[in-house]
Amino acid sequence: MSNPQQLRYSKEHEWLSAVEDGVATIGITEFAANALGDVVYAQLPEVGDTVTAGETCGELESTKSVSDLYSPVTGEVTAANQDVVDDPSLVNSAPFEGGWLFKVRVADEPEDLLSADEYTEFSGN
């Protein structure tokens, strides 16, 4: 399992793309997707919602369990991935590509986000 070097990671197993024009893309890691099992339902924050770093902003349901979705940053949601809502299995099959979850206009980025190497060490894989 390889965590893309250009992303930053939270200890809640979300990834965050580089901020471009003030907006970052957020998803869950391959490690989290594998731990969840087959994702069958995704409840994502809606465009216009405000999310807060470290707080619940949605939910992913799998054949194994239900897991809260946490935002790694504070800001306003600018997009939610309707493809994932329509086909939640994208979270498992392409967690770093088509399985992204939502985009946020970042107001505040915490300093405790991890590099790919730090996240690999933290998650033990």
Side-chain angles (χ1 to χ4, degrees):
M1 188 176 327
S2 178
N3 297 303
Q5 291 292 319
Q6 73 275 19
L7 302 177
R8 309 263 318 270
Y9 300 86
S10 75
K11 290 184 176 178
E12 287 79 28
H13 307 286
E14 280 83 24
W15 58 262
L16 172 80
S17 71
V19 177
E20 294 180 26
D21 296 326
V23 176
T25 303
I26 295 167
I28 68 166
T29 64
E30 185 175 6
F31 173 82
N34 288 340
L36 272 172
D38 295 332
V39 177
V40 296
Y41 174 77
Q43 185 243 322
L44 305 177
E46 296 181 12
V47 173
D49 286 354
T50 298
V51 294
T52 303
E55 292 191 7
T56 303
C57 63
E59 185 176 275
L60 295 174
E61 186 176 322
S62 73
T63 55
K64 291 182 181 178
S65 67
V66 175
S67 180
D68 287 332
L69 176 62
Y70 296 89
S71 179
V73 294
T74 297
E76 181 181 343
V77 176
T78 61
N81 189 348
Q82 187 62 44
D83 290 343
V84 165
V85 173
D86 295 341
D87 181 6
S89 70
L90 287 170
V91 171
N92 299 104
S93 64
F96 296 114
E97 295 91 25
W100 64 273
L101 301 176
F102 60 99
K103 296 184 181 202
V104 174
R105 181 163 307 286
V106 178
D108 183 42
E109 184 177 329
E111 294 181 13
D112 62 348
L113 293 175
L114 306 172
S115 70
D117 293 339
E118 291 168 333
Y119 179 75
T120 298
E121 184 176 322
F122 169 76
S123 62
N125 63 68

